[in-house]
Short mmCIF file of all heavy atoms in Angstrom, two decimals:
data_model
loop_
_atom_site.label_atom_id
_atom_site.label_comp_id
_atom_site.label_asym_id
_atom_site.label_seq_id
_atom_site.Cartn_x
_atom_site.Cartn_y
_atom_site.Cartn_z
N ALA A 1 211.73 -118.47 12.28
CA ALA A 1 212.84 -119.19 12.89
C ALA A 1 212.64 -119.37 14.40
O ALA A 1 213.19 -120.30 14.99
CB ALA A 1 214.15 -118.44 12.62
N GLN A 2 211.83 -118.52 15.03
CA GLN A 2 211.57 -118.65 16.47
C GLN A 2 210.66 -119.85 16.77
O GLN A 2 210.60 -120.30 17.90
CB GLN A 2 210.92 -117.38 17.01
CG GLN A 2 211.81 -116.17 16.96
CD GLN A 2 211.08 -114.89 17.40
OE1 GLN A 2 209.88 -114.88 17.62
NE2 GLN A 2 211.83 -113.81 17.50
N GLY A 3 209.95 -120.31 15.79
CA GLY A 3 209.08 -121.47 15.96
C GLY A 3 207.62 -121.11 16.13
O GLY A 3 207.28 -119.99 16.53
N GLN A 4 206.79 -122.08 15.83
CA GLN A 4 205.34 -121.88 15.87
C GLN A 4 204.86 -121.58 17.29
O GLN A 4 204.05 -120.69 17.50
CB GLN A 4 204.63 -123.12 15.32
CG GLN A 4 203.11 -123.00 15.32
CD GLN A 4 202.42 -124.20 14.70
OE1 GLN A 4 203.07 -125.06 14.09
NE2 GLN A 4 201.12 -124.27 14.84
N ALA A 5 205.37 -122.30 18.29
CA ALA A 5 204.92 -122.10 19.66
C ALA A 5 205.22 -120.68 20.15
O ALA A 5 204.38 -120.05 20.82
CB ALA A 5 205.57 -123.12 20.58
N THR A 6 206.39 -120.16 19.81
CA THR A 6 206.75 -118.80 20.22
C THR A 6 205.87 -117.77 19.53
O THR A 6 205.39 -116.82 20.17
CB THR A 6 208.23 -118.52 19.89
OG1 THR A 6 209.03 -119.50 20.54
CG2 THR A 6 208.64 -117.14 20.33
N LEU A 7 205.62 -117.95 18.23
CA LEU A 7 204.75 -117.00 17.52
C LEU A 7 203.33 -117.01 18.06
O LEU A 7 202.71 -115.95 18.23
CB LEU A 7 204.75 -117.33 16.02
CG LEU A 7 206.03 -117.00 15.25
CD1 LEU A 7 205.89 -117.45 13.79
CD2 LEU A 7 206.33 -115.53 15.31
N VAL A 8 202.83 -118.20 18.38
CA VAL A 8 201.48 -118.30 18.94
C VAL A 8 201.45 -117.63 20.31
O VAL A 8 200.50 -116.91 20.65
CB VAL A 8 201.01 -119.77 19.00
CG1 VAL A 8 199.71 -119.89 19.78
CG2 VAL A 8 200.83 -120.33 17.59
N SER A 9 202.47 -117.83 21.11
CA SER A 9 202.55 -117.20 22.43
C SER A 9 202.58 -115.68 22.31
O SER A 9 201.89 -114.98 23.07
CB SER A 9 203.79 -117.70 23.17
OG SER A 9 203.96 -116.99 24.37
N HIS A 10 203.35 -115.16 21.37
CA HIS A 10 203.40 -113.72 21.15
C HIS A 10 202.03 -113.18 20.73
O HIS A 10 201.62 -112.10 21.17
CB HIS A 10 204.44 -113.36 20.10
CG HIS A 10 205.85 -113.55 20.56
ND1 HIS A 10 206.91 -113.53 19.69
CD2 HIS A 10 206.39 -113.78 21.78
CE1 HIS A 10 208.04 -113.72 20.36
NE2 HIS A 10 207.73 -113.89 21.64
N ALA A 11 201.34 -113.94 19.88
CA ALA A 11 200.02 -113.49 19.41
C ALA A 11 199.01 -113.50 20.56
O ALA A 11 198.16 -112.61 20.66
CB ALA A 11 199.54 -114.38 18.28
N MET A 12 199.11 -114.49 21.44
CA MET A 12 198.14 -114.58 22.54
C MET A 12 198.43 -113.56 23.64
O MET A 12 197.50 -112.99 24.21
CB MET A 12 198.16 -115.99 23.13
CG MET A 12 197.51 -117.00 22.24
SD MET A 12 197.34 -118.54 23.11
CE MET A 12 196.86 -119.62 21.78
N ASN A 13 199.68 -113.32 23.93
CA ASN A 13 200.05 -112.46 25.05
C ASN A 13 200.43 -111.04 24.63
O ASN A 13 200.56 -110.16 25.47
CB ASN A 13 201.21 -113.08 25.84
CG ASN A 13 200.84 -114.45 26.36
OD1 ASN A 13 199.74 -114.64 26.88
ND2 ASN A 13 201.73 -115.41 26.21
N GLY A 14 200.68 -110.85 23.35
CA GLY A 14 201.10 -109.55 22.84
C GLY A 14 202.60 -109.39 22.91
O GLY A 14 203.28 -110.01 23.74
N ILE A 15 203.13 -108.61 22.01
CA ILE A 15 204.56 -108.34 21.99
C ILE A 15 204.76 -106.97 21.33
O ILE A 15 204.09 -106.63 20.35
CB ILE A 15 205.33 -109.44 21.22
CG1 ILE A 15 206.83 -109.19 21.29
CG2 ILE A 15 204.87 -109.56 19.79
CD1 ILE A 15 207.68 -110.35 20.81
N ARG A 16 205.64 -106.17 21.89
CA ARG A 16 205.93 -104.81 21.42
C ARG A 16 204.62 -104.04 21.18
O ARG A 16 203.85 -103.86 22.11
CB ARG A 16 206.84 -104.85 20.19
CG ARG A 16 208.27 -105.33 20.52
CD ARG A 16 209.17 -105.32 19.31
NE ARG A 16 208.98 -106.41 18.39
CZ ARG A 16 209.44 -107.66 18.57
NH1 ARG A 16 210.09 -107.96 19.67
NH2 ARG A 16 209.24 -108.59 17.67
N ASN A 17 204.34 -103.62 19.97
CA ASN A 17 203.14 -102.82 19.68
C ASN A 17 201.89 -103.67 19.47
O ASN A 17 200.80 -103.12 19.37
CB ASN A 17 203.37 -101.96 18.43
CG ASN A 17 204.41 -100.89 18.65
OD1 ASN A 17 204.51 -100.36 19.74
ND2 ASN A 17 205.18 -100.58 17.63
N MET A 18 202.06 -104.98 19.38
CA MET A 18 200.91 -105.85 19.10
C MET A 18 200.18 -106.17 20.41
O MET A 18 200.78 -106.68 21.35
CB MET A 18 201.36 -107.15 18.45
CG MET A 18 200.21 -108.07 18.11
SD MET A 18 200.83 -109.49 17.23
CE MET A 18 199.63 -110.68 17.72
N PRO A 19 198.87 -105.88 20.47
CA PRO A 19 198.12 -106.20 21.68
C PRO A 19 197.85 -107.71 21.78
O PRO A 19 197.91 -108.43 20.78
CB PRO A 19 196.81 -105.43 21.50
CG PRO A 19 196.65 -105.29 20.03
CD PRO A 19 198.05 -105.20 19.47
N ALA A 20 197.57 -108.17 22.97
CA ALA A 20 197.23 -109.58 23.16
C ALA A 20 196.01 -109.93 22.33
O ALA A 20 195.06 -109.15 22.22
CB ALA A 20 196.94 -109.83 24.64
N ARG A 21 196.07 -111.09 21.70
CA ARG A 21 194.98 -111.61 20.86
C ARG A 21 194.61 -110.64 19.74
O ARG A 21 193.47 -110.58 19.31
CB ARG A 21 193.77 -111.97 21.70
CG ARG A 21 194.06 -113.06 22.71
CD ARG A 21 192.82 -113.50 23.46
NE ARG A 21 193.15 -114.59 24.35
CZ ARG A 21 193.19 -115.88 23.99
NH1 ARG A 21 192.96 -116.22 22.76
NH2 ARG A 21 193.49 -116.80 24.88
N GLY A 22 195.57 -109.85 19.31
CA GLY A 22 195.32 -108.90 18.23
C GLY A 22 194.31 -107.83 18.60
O GLY A 22 193.75 -107.17 17.73
N GLY A 23 194.04 -107.67 19.89
CA GLY A 23 193.06 -106.68 20.34
C GLY A 23 191.65 -107.22 20.40
O GLY A 23 190.73 -106.48 20.71
N ASN A 24 191.46 -108.51 20.14
CA ASN A 24 190.12 -109.10 20.18
C ASN A 24 190.11 -110.22 21.22
O ASN A 24 190.44 -111.36 20.91
CB ASN A 24 189.72 -109.63 18.80
CG ASN A 24 188.29 -110.13 18.76
OD1 ASN A 24 187.64 -110.28 19.78
ND2 ASN A 24 187.81 -110.39 17.56
N PRO A 25 189.70 -109.94 22.45
CA PRO A 25 189.74 -110.96 23.50
C PRO A 25 188.73 -112.09 23.28
O PRO A 25 188.81 -113.11 23.95
CB PRO A 25 189.41 -110.16 24.77
CG PRO A 25 188.69 -108.96 24.30
CD PRO A 25 189.23 -108.66 22.93
N ALA A 26 187.81 -111.94 22.35
CA ALA A 26 186.81 -112.97 22.10
C ALA A 26 187.37 -114.14 21.30
O ALA A 26 186.73 -115.18 21.21
CB ALA A 26 185.60 -112.38 21.38
N LEU A 27 188.55 -113.98 20.71
CA LEU A 27 189.13 -115.06 19.91
C LEU A 27 189.60 -116.20 20.81
O LEU A 27 190.20 -115.98 21.86
CB LEU A 27 190.30 -114.54 19.08
CG LEU A 27 189.97 -113.55 17.97
CD1 LEU A 27 191.24 -113.03 17.33
CD2 LEU A 27 189.07 -114.19 16.93
N SER A 28 189.33 -117.42 20.38
CA SER A 28 189.77 -118.58 21.15
C SER A 28 191.24 -118.86 20.85
O SER A 28 191.82 -118.33 19.89
CB SER A 28 188.92 -119.81 20.77
OG SER A 28 189.22 -120.22 19.45
N ASP A 29 191.85 -119.71 21.67
CA ASP A 29 193.26 -120.07 21.47
C ASP A 29 193.45 -120.74 20.12
O ASP A 29 194.45 -120.49 19.43
CB ASP A 29 193.74 -121.01 22.59
CG ASP A 29 193.81 -120.32 23.94
OD1 ASP A 29 193.67 -119.08 23.98
OD2 ASP A 29 194.00 -121.02 24.95
N THR A 30 192.49 -121.56 19.72
CA THR A 30 192.59 -122.24 18.43
C THR A 30 192.53 -121.25 17.28
O THR A 30 193.27 -121.37 16.30
CB THR A 30 191.45 -123.28 18.29
OG1 THR A 30 191.49 -124.17 19.42
CG2 THR A 30 191.58 -124.08 17.01
N GLU A 31 191.67 -120.25 17.40
CA GLU A 31 191.56 -119.24 16.34
C GLU A 31 192.85 -118.44 16.23
O GLU A 31 193.30 -118.14 15.11
CB GLU A 31 190.37 -118.31 16.61
CG GLU A 31 189.02 -118.99 16.43
CD GLU A 31 187.85 -118.14 16.89
OE1 GLU A 31 187.99 -117.40 17.89
OE2 GLU A 31 186.78 -118.22 16.25
N ILE A 32 193.45 -118.10 17.35
CA ILE A 32 194.73 -117.37 17.34
C ILE A 32 195.79 -118.23 16.67
O ILE A 32 196.55 -117.76 15.80
CB ILE A 32 195.17 -117.01 18.78
CG1 ILE A 32 194.17 -116.09 19.44
CG2 ILE A 32 196.57 -116.41 18.79
CD1 ILE A 32 194.13 -114.69 18.90
N SER A 33 195.86 -119.50 17.06
CA SER A 33 196.86 -120.41 16.47
C SER A 33 196.63 -120.55 14.97
O SER A 33 197.59 -120.54 14.19
CB SER A 33 196.77 -121.77 17.16
OG SER A 33 197.72 -122.64 16.62
N ASN A 34 195.38 -120.69 14.55
CA ASN A 34 195.07 -120.81 13.12
C ASN A 34 195.52 -119.56 12.35
O ASN A 34 196.05 -119.67 11.24
CB ASN A 34 193.57 -121.01 12.90
CG ASN A 34 193.08 -122.35 13.38
OD1 ASN A 34 193.86 -123.28 13.61
ND2 ASN A 34 191.76 -122.48 13.54
N ALA A 35 195.32 -118.39 12.93
CA ALA A 35 195.71 -117.15 12.27
C ALA A 35 197.23 -117.05 12.15
O ALA A 35 197.75 -116.64 11.10
CB ALA A 35 195.16 -115.94 13.03
N VAL A 36 197.95 -117.44 13.20
CA VAL A 36 199.41 -117.39 13.17
C VAL A 36 199.94 -118.35 12.10
O VAL A 36 200.82 -117.99 11.30
CB VAL A 36 200.00 -117.74 14.56
CG1 VAL A 36 201.51 -117.97 14.47
CG2 VAL A 36 199.69 -116.64 15.55
N VAL A 37 199.41 -119.55 12.06
CA VAL A 37 199.85 -120.54 11.06
C VAL A 37 199.57 -120.02 9.65
O VAL A 37 200.42 -120.12 8.76
CB VAL A 37 199.16 -121.90 11.31
CG1 VAL A 37 199.37 -122.85 10.14
CG2 VAL A 37 199.67 -122.52 12.60
#
């Protein structure tokens, strides 16, 4: 309900216990977005 852009932003920047980029800084923005979708 928060929307795709917000979820992708949380995945890239981290939120609560989740590290930025899932803990893998080598992932590109597109790969992060693909994983969230």
Side-chain angles (χ1 to χ4, degrees):
Q2 295 175 353
Q4 180 177 350
T6 302
L7 288 177
V8 171
S9 173
H10 289 168
M12 287 189 191
N13 302 316
I15 184 169
R16 292 182 282 283
N17 292 326
M18 182 175 151
R21 299 185 177 276
N24 186 349
L27 293 174
S28 69
D29 292 350
T30 306
E31 290 172 325
I32 298 289
S33 181
N34 291 344
V36 168
V37 168

